[in-house]
Amino acid sequence: MYEPIRTKSVHTMAAAPEVPHRSREEELDIRLAGQLTALLTVTDELHALVTRGDGGLVDGAALAAAAEHIAEQVARLSGGHYPLRAEPSDGGSPSRAESLHQRAHTLAGNALAVATSRGDATAMALAAERMEAHAAPLRDLATA
């Protein structure tokens, strides 16, 4: 009454040894590196605002040091490959600083969640430090 299946099951194909699979730790490394790379991009944008005098209450040297530390962590997670860094945009108003700090705070929080999942104390400390660094200007902008 039923015709037999003539093709291989997709489930047996997925279990084939020639299909590459990543471990949970490798997936978390990739995800954490991605979150930190996004944070690096926003940090570079903020640094560009500060060097033009539009960044508000943030120290440019501290942002440059933070960007280098973030890049080092991305390189560690990516097998020694430093991330490509885009040239920050030239346009925008000083009011952009608040949205960039908010975005950086969110990205640092995401990185902290992934680093905690992964059990990476170094990345957890970096993400927590960046969250605090971006929360302070947000508080100052809110009271101004």
Side-chain angles (χ1 to χ4, degrees):
M1 192 159 156
Y2 293 104
E3 184 175 339
I5 298 173
R6 294 191 178 126
T7 60
K8 288 185 180 180
S9 167
V10 290
H11 300 292
T12 42
M13 286 183 186
E18 66 271 359
V19 177
H21 294 283
R22 290 190 286 253
S23 68
R24 179 177 186 276
E25 186 171 308
E26 289 170 328
E27 289 291 338
L28 289 173
D29 283 350
I30 291 167
R31 194 164 161 213
L32 181 56
Q35 292 293 333
L36 290 175
T37 301
L39 179 60
L40 177 62
T41 302
V42 175
T43 303
D44 284 341
E45 284 286 331
L46 274 167
H47 185 259
L49 279 176
V50 167
T51 56
R52 285 196 321 262
D54 297 338
L57 310 166
V58 181
D59 179 23
L63 283 172
E68 286 306 314
H69 196 178
I70 293 167
E72 289 170 3
Q73 291 304 308
V74 172
R76 178 181 63 87
L77 293 164
S78 303
H81 301 290
Y82 274 80
L84 294 176
R85 293 174 74 173
E87 193 65 33
S89 63
D90 223 11
S93 66
S95 63
R96 232 176 118 225
E98 184 177 359
S99 65
L100 286 172
H101 281 296
Q102 182 61 47
R103 180 74 179 137
H105 187 268
T106 301
L107 289 167
N110 292 345
L112 180 60
V114 177
T116 302
S117 232
R118 187 179 176 277
D120 187 335
T122 306
M124 285 170 32
L126 174 64
E129 170 192 313
R130 298 316 310 150
M131 279 185 74
E132 182 57 34
H134 292 291
L138 288 172
R139 283 191 302 268
D140 294 341
L141 288 169
T143 60

